[in-house]
Amino acid sequence: MRTANPRTILIWTLVALVGATGWTVLALSRGEDVSAAWMVAAALGSYAIAYRFYAKFIAYKVLKVDRTRATPAERLNNGIDFHPTDRRVLLGHHFAAIAGAGPLVGPVLAAQMGYLPGTIWIIVGVIFAGAVQDMVVLFFSTRRDGRSLGQMAREEIGPFGGAAALIAAFAIMIILLGVLALVIVNALAQSPWGTFSIAMTIPIALLMGFYLRVLRPGRVSEVSLIGVALLLLALVAGRWVAESSWADTFTLAPSTLVVWLVAYGFIASILPVWMLLAPRDYLSTFMKIGTIALLALGVVIALPTLKMDAVTDFASRGNGPVFAGSLFPFVFITIACGALSGFHSLISSGTTPKMIQKETQVRMIGYGSMLMESSVAVMALVAASIIDPGLYFAMNAPAGVIGNTVQNASQVVGSWGYQISPEALARAAENVQEASLLSRTGGAPTLAVGVSEIFSQVTGGGLRAFWYHFAIMFEALFILTALDAGTRVGRFMLQDTLGNLYRPFRNVSWKPGLVITSAAVCGLWGYFLWVGVHEPLGGINQLFPIFGISNQLLAAVALAVCTTLLVKSGRLKWAWITGIPLAWDAVVTLTASWQKVFSSDPKVGFLKQRQVFQDAIDRGEVLPPAKTMDDMHTVVTNSTVDGVLSAVLALLIVVVIADAARVCVRHIRRPALSTLSEAPYVESRITAPAGLFPTKDEKEEERRAVASAGTGSSTGPQ
């Protein structure tokens, strides 16, 4: 084992000190101005230490990744779903696939509780829970021919708990996809700039895919430069289009966008991964990471002050206008992606394990991508916390609470202890060329205002409107890449499930099954989206309130499967690595589920909300957000559906955890009775680095492989 040299020790000591200093300032500052740069310092220092030491320990000591073992991408390569993909392209695909609406929107909404609780959960949660889940699921799925999470649960836990996991995972997946699609529709509707720019990423990605596959195989650096140049051109051209006679062509109504999204989701899920999905996600990653990196740099340059309180009164009272409920458990539910997200486990057991070249890359792709997404969540929280708190609450409180005029909004927000004048509210809207910023709920507009604030300070106080609309388009691009990958993963899940009934479906590249299941998945989330667009209280809007809890319940399934596999594979002493996050997640999500179903507060409990609205119907009274008596009946239906679904999903997760515990206890007592569905060892003929940059030993291995290429060895690009 190599010993660290003094230079390395000094560097990592300085990194630790930067992170520790950031944490100290954030935790101890009360009443004085705190620069947002300290939040960035705490995050980056913590991420670096976690990746260098904790992730490496898990990968090599616990999982014992084997660089000599062939992955499914190498063994089952068919050019459709299984395809060895350069680690840089796959890192981009995986990050783009997992980074959806959650890391952008959740932290913005959670800023209601103050900047400190969200910061702690985002950073600590990702290091010990979210990134661990993603990496471990990816490793075990890679060892099992890229099996989906639900199918791994069925094979390793048993038919009873596995069936519960399959049903829960697929149902939650449809909800998540519908919500992601709704956010995209809301962001792109009537926006020719955003629609054109995002549409252009599709032909650019196709060009990149054929360039790497046909024209210049392995030339990742070349295709990256071409792709980034074309992407920047598309972004600039989007503004030209919006100001030209073509604007009407790309100004689409929400219903039209639904049709295009469903069609795109279907096509993206059946085309070979190298052709559209992987290069498009890789391309979008440049914009995502580039924007977030520039945002972090902007914070360091402009040094904006955190204007939100470290911990607000709403954290203890639980009556916040953005969302109801106390700090525990609802901050941990509101901030899902960026700290811990069950959706990620579906990608880690979906597209990525079918494309990864070497087991040694699970650390960079699984753990590293999640740290990247967590940095997005931190920057979203920064953006929400540097704007005036009065503006924040005016933007995120419902119209039924603050009214429709700046005068009413100013008075209501002032009664909460956050003063902002009507003139300031009107001026904030004028600065970003919006008619009004009141009740722009959902988090995305608030993030855009924060981004415009930071970038405008860097550029001398101007261009606020440009940066605001750029941020809106950025968010849509961010989310769309999770939708196409998620649709493909949903297809894998449905194929695995149907494969238990009709064996040909188990071959995920079997064309009839591929088309049937893709159409079914797109049809399901497309239906909920279509209804949601046409009925403000129907369709996916009906399921939106259980989005956060569903996502975290899915994480409990993933962590239960991981813990079971650690125990069954002889790693009992390391089971705490996923077992502790599982226990925490189970306590949080089941507590939240209980409160959402049975709380006596109608703003929290679905059943109590149902009772209040039903009583009002009996009295002939209409309550907000309903505007008509038909809306009142819809609210009653929605509350009933959400309450029942929350209870059913929570019950399914309890079944999965209980069955997993039974399997673990049985293995500990009688290990001879346990079986693993792990694929047999096959020696790998691919050489590829574990990280972004090859080490000295990896370069030497590559040279030897190239020298012996005449004997039949194959190599991966460096």
Side-chain angles (χ1 to χ4, degrees):
M1 186 175 181
R2 296 179 180 177
T3 57
N5 59 51
R7 181 168 173 266
T8 301
I9 293 174
L10 176 61
I11 291 173
W12 285 106
T13 300
L14 291 175
V15 171
L17 286 174
V18 168
T21 303
W23 279 116
T24 301
V25 173
L26 292 175
L28 299 182
S29 296
R30 292 292 183 274
E32 63 267 27
D33 290 343
V34 178
S35 172
W38 290 116
M39 191 182 294
V40 175
L44 296 182
S46 301
Y47 295 153
I49 295 294
Y51 184 78
R52 170 61 180 82
F53 297 101
Y54 192 51
K56 187 175 183 180
F57 160 73
I58 295 174
Y60 291 95
K61 182 70 174 179
V62 178
L63 301 179
K64 298 181 179 179
V65 293
D66 186 353
R67 65 183 180 85
T68 71
R69 188 186 188 107
T71 64
E74 180 180 357
R75 291 187 292 103
L76 306 175
N77 182 10
N78 61 11
I80 300 176
D81 296 309
F82 293 89
H83 178 65
T85 304
D86 184 278
R87 68 204 181 279
R88 292 161 290 189
V89 176
L90 187 56
L91 176 68
H93 157 71
H94 187 80
F95 169 72
I98 66 173
L104 296 173
V105 174
V108 172
L109 302 181
Q112 167 184 267
M113 302 293 191
Y115 66 78
L116 189 56
T119 302
I120 294 173
W121 170 233
I122 290 170
I123 299 174
V124 176
V126 73
I127 289 172
F128 295 106
V132 172
Q133 171 205 257
D134 292 12
M135 177 171 64
V136 176
V137 169
L138 176 57
F139 171 78
F140 281 125
S141 180
T142 301
R143 283 281 177 98
R144 285 157 179 76
D145 291 341
R147 287 291 189 211
S148 67
L149 177 67
Q151 188 62 23
M152 284 197 294
R154 187 180 186 279
E155 293 174 352
E156 302 292 353
I157 296 177
F160 188 60
L166 282 167
I167 295 170
F170 187 72
I172 292 171
M173 185 63 161
I174 296 300
I175 294 172
L176 299 182
L177 290 174
V179 170
L180 290 175
L182 181 64
V183 176
I184 296 169
V185 169
N186 290 337
L188 293 184
Q190 312 301 328
S191 174
W193 181 8
T195 301
F196 174 82
S197 298
I198 288 176
M200 289 306 298
T201 63
I202 297 174
I204 295 172
L206 289 169
L207 171 63
M208 293 173 65
F210 280 98
Y211 192 96
L212 279 176
R213 177 82 171 186
V214 180
L215 300 178
R216 300 274 285 173
R219 303 292 183 174
V220 176
S221 299
E222 290 180 15
V223 81
S224 299
L225 292 174
I226 294 171
V228 170
L230 291 174
L231 175 62
L232 293 176
L233 178 61
L235 294 176
V236 174
R239 194 178 191 189
W240 298 339
V241 168
E243 297 171 352
S244 73
S245 58
W246 288 8
D248 290 343
T249 303
F250 291 93
T251 303
L252 303 182
S255 57
T256 306
L257 280 169
V258 171
V259 175
W260 280 111
L261 281 177
V262 171
Y264 170 73
F266 176 77
I267 293 170
S269 67
I270 63 175
L271 286 179
V273 287
W274 60 265
M275 187 181 296
L276 177 60
L277 189 68
R280 189 184 181 287
D281 289 351
Y282 177 60
L283 176 67
S284 70
T285 296
F286 283 103
M287 181 180 173
K288 292 180 177 183
I289 292 300
T291 301
I292 294 302
L294 288 175
L295 196 56
L297 183 62
V299 169
V300 174
I301 294 173
L303 297 176
T305 299
L306 295 171
K307 296 179 181 178
M308 185 66 72
D309 297 330
V311 182
T312 68
D313 292 339
F314 295 125
S316 56
R317 296 205 306 259
N319 63 343
V322 180
F323 63 91
S326 56
L327 189 152
F328 178 87
F330 289 105
V331 159
F332 309 100
I333 296 299
T334 304
I335 301 178
C337 299
L340 172 65
S341 170
F343 176 75
H344 297 186
S345 67
L346 303 181
I347 305 297
S348 292
S349 61
T351 53
T352 307
K354 299 175 179 65
M355 301 162 68
I356 193 167
Q357 291 174 313
K358 307 291 285 186
E359 281 188 2
T360 48
Q361 294 170 353
V362 300
R363 176 185 172 215
M364 177 186 71
I365 294 170
Y367 201 96
S369 291
M370 184 53 182
L371 292 183
M372 290 161 59
E373 192 201 51
S374 185
S375 69
V376 175
V378 168
M379 295 315 303
L381 185 57
V382 167
S385 300
I386 64 164
I387 66 176
D388 189 297
L391 176 60
Y392 169 85
F393 284 107
M395 290 185 68
N396 289 282
V401 175
I402 64 171
N404 296 317
T405 67
V406 291
Q407 289 77 16
N408 285 340
S410 175
Q411 292 176 2
V412 175
V413 172
S415 70
W416 299 332
Y418 300 99
Q419 302 300 324
I420 186 168
S421 67
E423 293 76 19
L425 288 173
R427 188 166 54 252
E430 291 172 4
N431 287 339
V432 295
Q433 296 180 9
E434 289 281 356
S436 173
L437 288 177
L438 300 183
S439 301
R440 296 295 299 273
T441 56
T446 304
L447 174 61
V449 168
V451 169
S452 69
E453 177 73 20
I454 294 171
F455 282 153
S456 67
Q457 288 184 29
V458 174
T459 55
L463 300 176
R464 286 179 185 269
F466 171 83
W467 291 120
Y468 173 85
H469 290 283
F470 170 83
I472 292 292
M473 185 205 58
F474 162 74
E475 293 170 44
L477 176 63
F478 214 101
I479 299 163
L480 185 58
T481 53
L483 181 68
D484 53 19
T487 300
R488 197 180 194 98
V489 170
R491 187 250 288 179
F492 291 152
M493 294 168 61
L494 187 56
Q495 285 178 283
D496 274 347
T497 302
L498 295 177
N500 296 313
L501 304 174
Y502 185 58
R503 197 163 188 83
F505 276 103
R506 286 205 172 189
N507 177 5
V508 294
S509 300
W510 179 53
K511 289 186 178 180
L514 180 153
V515 172
I516 292 169
T517 52
S518 294
V521 171
C522 289
L524 284 170
W525 66 255
Y527 165 77
F528 286 113
L529 178 62
W530 179 268
V531 176
V533 164
H534 289 85
E535 298 180 22
L537 296 177
I540 196 59
N541 299 299
Q542 182 182 58
L543 303 176
F544 197 93
I546 62 175
F547 171 77
I549 288 180
S550 299
N551 195 17
Q552 298 298 69
L553 287 172
L554 188 56
V557 173
L559 290 167
V561 171
C562 289
T563 305
T564 303
L565 285 170
L566 286 174
V567 172
K568 290 180 66 177
S569 61
R571 301 174 173 92
L572 175 61
K573 67 178 180 179
W574 305 122
W576 58 269
I577 289 172
T578 54
I580 292 176
L582 169 61
W584 168 257
D585 185 49
V587 169
V588 168
T589 51
L590 293 178
T591 300
S593 296
W594 179 271
Q595 291 187 19
K596 291 300 290 182
V597 176
F598 298 111
S599 173
S600 58
D601 183 351
K603 294 181 179 179
V604 178
F606 292 126
L607 298 186
K608 184 63 176 179
Q609 183 184 72
R610 180 193 184 283
Q611 178 186 333
V612 168
F613 276 78
Q614 184 60 56
D615 291 344
I617 290 173
D618 295 340
R619 298 192 303 268
E621 183 180 352
V622 176
L623 302 177
K627 297 179 180 179
T628 65
M629 193 55 68
D630 286 342
D631 288 348
M632 291 289 291
H633 287 285
T634 301
V635 172
V636 169
T637 301
N638 290 355
S639 300
T640 306
V641 170
D642 289 339
V644 171
L645 272 179
S646 295
V648 169
L649 290 174
L651 182 61
L652 288 172
I653 299 323
V654 169
V655 169
V656 173
I657 294 174
D659 213 19
R662 177 189 62 81
V663 171
C664 290
V665 170
R666 186 186 65 180
H667 174 82
I668 294 169
R669 290 177 175 175
R670 304 180 68 181
L673 296 180
S674 297
T675 58
L676 288 171
S677 59
E678 189 173 283
Y681 174 90
V682 174
E683 185 176 359
S684 175
R685 298 171 64 85
I686 289 178
T687 60
L692 278 179
F693 306 103
T695 64
K696 182 179 179 180
D697 291 342
E698 288 170 340
K699 289 180 180 178
E700 179 59 32
E701 181 185 26
E702 171 64 11
R703 280 193 290 267
R704 291 197 303 268
V706 171
S708 61
T711 65
S713 297
S714 61
T715 64
Q718 298 297 299

